[in-house]
């Protein structure tokens, strides 16, 4: 990083040519356009979620709330299914991530040790699952035969170890823990368990953070596929499945809309509710994300070191 | 005791090294057990693609039928559209989704102002963290013919609001460009990381020689990105048959199924959704997809290696 700034300042000393100035202007404009394109849909959704049902159904909302109202949010807060989904998602994400991270770390450390016989074969066996899998039905059959169908276990156990995450963990251990450390500890009479628990784990904190984020967001919080194929019981549904019912399949518990006689108003609330729901469902990760962004970047960067 | 033979000596040493690290194998036990149960047992189970799987007889007990399930797929009415749809969506995604993050990274890399740079990165990464369900929900709302943004805009301009989500001709475009919208920023991270490792001396020398920014991008930055770009390209070409299930499935409707049914969703439909569950047939299609995908990856990697000296392995 230090070298980077020194070269930037060197370049600044040289006067920028006219060509470069025009280029930089165009470049800035390009990035501004991209940023606006990213922001536009998000701003629209938020604006609509704070509008009145009438404004929404009349198609009047563009980028600012029309007839400011919190009705959409109030309706969501009374929707028990949504809260149940939130609770289930938190459960799956919390325990699932603990399971994933533990499994990944206890696999990655041994596989990062150059002196481990068979490490190439076992690493390849993990990586190979990134390139080829038994497929949907055979995996389903295994989960079924283990009696996990329609249980909370089905949301946790099959996720296990992501090969990409395993790779970045192995890379982390290989690049940050010198082999001499291990030899020195050995000479002092420490066993591998001891080394792992009292030296490796404390050093592994950064990679544990990265893995926890990757698993929590990518494997658990934001996915619905596992739930779609393994769960039947409504009470076990994670948030994403509930969202799918409301946002995509347009099925909203009619009791929520019962006290509204007018059909148009009812239709309006139905749509308004979706906007509010999109906001409510995205807020937890969106609030968290600026704080954890650098961990994600770190993880992606580790992944690019092969 | 006499001297051991070379072979004995070597295997004895090997054994010593294994025994010395026995605790590492204990650590590996659970992960490997998991790998066998949840990843390799299904590969064994995939043999039902060659059988007529009957639940009462189990995997080994069901009768062999050779390639009958594969033939059935080849002769099926759905074979052609499903393959064509998959390839169209995949290659379109690749065509748009591969270069754009590179362009974005090159562009962001030019920005010196820290605040602007960080804001652009922060904003462009954000959509990656929105779940697929919410993204598709947003698409439905944004493009809704009555309450959506496009509808409001059309109303404002006095035009008839379009019904983009109900239009099969628009399906691939919506799928691909919403994907670009969601992933371009996150996809740029890896390239930005690589750009930051390029030796500053190269740029300094180029500046001294009077190279413009555009020339430095062309002759220093882009060549620097090539190895990474090649690896990612090989990976995505190897996955052309794997159109993201979660998103396509959510975007499907009776109106657009003709252009939106892809291999992955078809496998799900015949395997777990239809009234007569056909595990063997579904598995055969999935297996075919997996094998072709693997062969494709090997082939693309081979060519990438020969042409550019970069590849996965």
């Amino acid at each position: 990083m230090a070298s980077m700034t020194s070269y930037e300042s060197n370049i600044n000393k040289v006067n920028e040519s006219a060509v470069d100035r025009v280029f930089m202007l165009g470049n800035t404009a390009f990035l501004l356009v991209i940023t606006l394109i990213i922001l536009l849909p998000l701003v629209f959704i938020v604006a609509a979620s704070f509008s009145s049902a009438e404004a929404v159904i009349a198609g009047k909302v563009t980028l600012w709330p029309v007839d400011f109202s919190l009705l959409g949010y109030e309706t969501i807060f009374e929707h028990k299914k949504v809260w149940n989904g939130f609770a289930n998602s938190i459960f799956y994400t919390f325990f699932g991530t603990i399971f994933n991270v533990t499994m990944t770390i206890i696999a990655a450390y041994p596989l990062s040790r150059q002196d481990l016989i068979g490490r190439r074969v076992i690493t390849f066996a993990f990586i190979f699952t990134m390139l080829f899998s038994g497929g949907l039905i055979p995996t389903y059959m295994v989960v079924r035969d283990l009696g996990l169908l329609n249980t909370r276990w089905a949301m946790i156990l099959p996720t296990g170890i992501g090969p990409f995450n395993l790779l970045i963990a192995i890379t982390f251990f290989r690049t940050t823990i010198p082999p001499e450390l291990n030899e020195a500890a050995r000479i002092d009479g420490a066993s591998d368990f001891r080394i792992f628990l009292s030296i490796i784990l404390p050093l592994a904190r950064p990679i544990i953070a990265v893995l926890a984020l990757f698993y929590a967001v990518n494997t658990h919080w934001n996915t619905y596929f596992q739930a779609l194929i393994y769960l039947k019981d409504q009470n076990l549904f994670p948030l994403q499945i509930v969202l799918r019912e409301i946002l995509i399949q347009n099925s909203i518990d009619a009791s929520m809309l019962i006290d509204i006689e007018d059909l148009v108003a009812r239709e309006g609330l139905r749509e308004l509710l979706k906007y509010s729901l999109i906001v409510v469902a995205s807020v937890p990760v969106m609030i968290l994300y600026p704080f954890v962004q650098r961990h994600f970047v770190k993880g992606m960067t580790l992944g690019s070191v092969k | 005791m006499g001297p051991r033979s070379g072979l004995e000596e070597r295997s004895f040493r090997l054994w010593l090294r294994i025994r010395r690290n026995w605790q590492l194998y204990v650590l590996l036990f659970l992960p490997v057990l998991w790998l066998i149960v949840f990843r390799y047992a299904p590969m064994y189970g995939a043999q039902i693609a060659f059988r007529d799987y009957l639940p009462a007889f189990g995997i080994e007990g069901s009768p062999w039928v050779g390639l009958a399930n594969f033939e059935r797929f080849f002769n099926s009415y759905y074979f052609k559209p499903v393959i064509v749809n998959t390839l169209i969506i995949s290659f379109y995604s690749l065509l748009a989704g591969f270069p754009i993050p590179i362009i974005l990274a090159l562009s962001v890399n030019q920005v010196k102002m820290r605040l602007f740079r960080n804001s652009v990165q922060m904003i462009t990464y954000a959509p990656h963290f929105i779940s697929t369900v919410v993204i598709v929900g947003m698409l439905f709302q944004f493009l809704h013919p009555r309450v959506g943004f496009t509808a409001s805009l059309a109303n404002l301009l006095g035009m008839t609001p379009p019904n983009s989500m109900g239009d099969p001709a628009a399906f691939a475009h919506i799928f691909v460009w919403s994907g670009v919208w969601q992933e371009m920023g996150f996809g740029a991270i890896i390239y930005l990381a690589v750009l930051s490792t390029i030796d500053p001396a190269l740029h300094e020398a180029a500046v001294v020689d009077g190279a413009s920014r555009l020339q430095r991008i062309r002759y220093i930055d882009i060549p620097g990105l090539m190895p990474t770009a090649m690896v990612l390209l090989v990976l995505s070409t190897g996955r052309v048959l794997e159109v993201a299930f979660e998103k396509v499935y959510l975007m499907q409707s009776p109106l657009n199924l003709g252009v939106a049914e892809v291999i992955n969703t078809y496998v799900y439909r015949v395997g777990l959704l239809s009234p007569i569950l056909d595990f063997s047939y579904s598995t055969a299609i999935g297996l075919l997809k997996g094998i072709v995908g693997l062969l494709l990856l090997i082939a693309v990697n081979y060519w990438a290696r020969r042409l550019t000296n970069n590849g996965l392995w």
Side-chain angles (χ1 to χ4, degrees), chain A residues 249-270:
Chain A
Q249 299 174 319
N250 212 4
S251 83
I252 294 171
D253 188 357
S255 66
M256 293 171 59
L257 309 165
I258 204 126
D259 42 316
I260 303 169
E261 293 293 316
D262 182 25
L263 257 175
V264 179
R266 196 184 279 207
E267 186 60 28
L269 181 59
R270 189 190 275 269

Side-chain angles (χ1 to χ4, degrees), chain B residues 84-93 96 139 164-165 167-180 247-248 251 256 259-260:
Chain B
V84 169
N85 292 343
T86 305
L87 291 179
I88 287 179
I89 296 173
S90 274
F91 279 107
Y92 190 3
S93 299
L139 280 175
S164 321
M165 286 305 272
D167 180 7
F171 176 81
H173 301 298
I174 298 174
F175 180 88
V176 168
W177 291 103
S178 62
V180 170
K247 189 167 170 192
V248 181
M251 283 179 69
N256 65 19
V259 295

Side-chain angles (χ1 to χ4, degrees), chain B residues 6-18:
Chain B
L7 188 71
E8 266 176 32
E9 177 71 28
R10 235 181 311 158
S11 56
F12 181 68
R13 285 241 189 95
L14 194 72
W15 168 242
L16 271 188
R17 277 176 67 191
I18 292 176

Side-chain angles (χ1 to χ4, degrees), chain A residues 266-284:
Chain A
R266 196 184 279 207
E267 186 60 28
L269 181 59
R270 189 190 275 269
E271 295 304 324
L272 174 64
L273 190 142
K274 290 188 196 167
Y275 288 111
S276 313
L277 189 57
I278 288 174
V279 175
V280 170
S282 309
V283 153

Side-chain angles (χ1 to χ4, degrees), chain B residues 97-174:
Chain B
F98 176 67
I100 289 177
I102 299 181
I103 296 169
L104 184 65
L106 290 170
S107 170
V108 169
N109 191 48
Q110 292 296 321
V111 177
K112 280 170 294 183
M113 231 172 63
R114 195 137 273 229
L115 182 69
F116 183 51
R117 188 190 166 109
N118 288 348
S119 322
V120 170
Q121 285 178 278
M122 179 91 111
I123 291 168
T124 51
Y125 297 170
H128 172 81
F129 296 91
I130 301 174
S131 75
T132 310
V133 179
V134 170
I135 288 281
V136 178
M138 279 170 66
L139 280 175
F140 273 109
Q141 295 310 112
F142 196 76
L143 302 172
H144 195 288
R146 201 150 61 129
V147 307
F149 179 78
T150 49
S152 298
L153 214 59
N155 289 341
L156 223 62
L157 301 171
M159 299 188 317
T160 329
N163 183 8
S164 321
M165 286 305 272
D167 180 7
F171 176 81
H173 301 298
I174 298 174

Side-chain angles (χ1 to χ4, degrees), chain A:
Chain A
M1 273 296 144
S3 62
M4 168 112 182
T5 44
S6 82
Y7 113 77
E8 290 286 358
S9 63
N10 280 348
I11 288 169
N12 286 341
K13 276 180 215 144
V14 185
N15 265 339
E16 296 238 303
S17 69
V19 183
D20 276 355
R21 258 175 297 173
V22 171
F23 170 74
M24 283 307 275
L25 215 65
N27 191 49
T28 309
F30 169 74
L31 288 177
L32 280 176
V33 170
I34 295 276
T35 315
L36 285 179
I37 291 175
I38 301 279
L39 283 177
L40 183 86
L42 302 174
V43 172
F44 165 70
I45 301 283
V46 175
S49 75
F50 285 108
S51 299
S52 73
E54 292 78 20
V56 165
I57 197 75
K60 283 192 204 149
V61 183
T62 49
L63 296 177
W64 198 254
V66 177
D67 307 334
F68 183 88
S69 127
L70 291 174
L71 184 64
Y73 290 97
E74 283 163 13
T75 319
I76 300 259
F77 279 94
E78 284 161 24
H79 204 319
K80 245 185 68 192
K81 237 181 167 177
V82 172
W83 293 118
N84 193 34
F86 255 108
N88 283 332
S89 278
I90 291 170
F91 179 92
Y92 300 138
T93 304
F94 182 77
F95 290 104
T97 303
I98 290 179
F99 174 64
N100 297 142
V101 172
T102 310
M103 292 287 275
T104 307
I105 293 286
I106 61 176
Y109 173 63
L111 293 176
S112 75
R113 285 271 297 263
Q114 309 283 341
D115 57 333
L116 186 85
I117 309 283
R119 111 193 116 86
R120 273 170 202 282
V121 179
I122 300 172
T123 309
F124 179 78
F126 274 102
I127 302 308
F128 184 68
T129 64
M130 195 153 52
L131 312 175
F132 184 79
S133 82
L136 173 74
I137 299 297
T139 310
Y140 175 87
M141 285 163 65
V142 167
V143 173
R144 182 196 63 188
D145 294 345
L146 290 172
L148 303 180
L149 277 192
N150 215 10
T151 68
R152 289 183 186 272
W153 294 108
M155 298 298 290
I156 295 172
L157 291 180
T159 61
I161 297 173
F164 177 79
N165 293 336
L166 180 70
L167 265 187
I168 63 173
I170 293 176
T171 308
F172 174 86
F173 284 130
R174 256 219 312 262
T175 51
T176 53
I177 294 165
E180 298 83 51
L181 192 74
N182 167 44
E183 278 152 31
R186 266 292 169 89
I187 290 163
D188 288 347
S191 68
D192 276 322
F193 285 152
R194 187 69 201 280
I195 296 173
F196 179 71
L197 287 175
S198 31
I199 302 177
I200 305 302
L201 274 188
L203 285 173
R205 239 176 260 159
I207 191 66
I208 289 176
V210 170
L211 291 175
L213 283 167
F214 273 18
Y215 281 120
V217 175
N218 299 338
T219 310
H220 296 287
W221 189 264
N222 277 345
T223 59
Y224 74 91
F225 184 60
Q226 305 239 33
L228 181 73
I229 53 177
Y230 296 140
L231 298 183
K232 290 263 180 302
D233 182 356
Q234 302 244 345
N235 292 318
L236 297 178
F237 281 176
L239 180 63
Q240 300 301 330
I241 290 280
V242 180
L243 291 178
R244 171 172 171 259
E245 285 177 2
I246 299 176
L247 295 177
I248 315 288
Q249 299 174 319
N250 212 4
S251 83
I252 294 171
D253 188 357
S255 66
M256 293 171 59
L257 309 165
I258 204 126
D259 42 316
I260 303 169
E261 293 293 316
D262 182 25
L263 257 175
V264 179
R266 196 184 279 207
E267 186 60 28
L269 181 59
R270 189 190 275 269
E271 295 304 324
L272 174 64
L273 190 142
K274 290 188 196 167
Y275 288 111
S276 313
L277 189 57
I278 288 174
V279 175
V280 170
S282 309
V283 153
V285 181
M286 281 294 144
I287 288 182
L288 227 67
Y289 137 75
F291 300 100
V292 298
Q293 182 202 347
R294 62 192 180 87
H295 291 290
F296 267 96
V297 174
K298 201 191 296 162
M300 293 301 292
T301 314
L302 264 179
S304 69
V305 185
K306 207 180 71 172

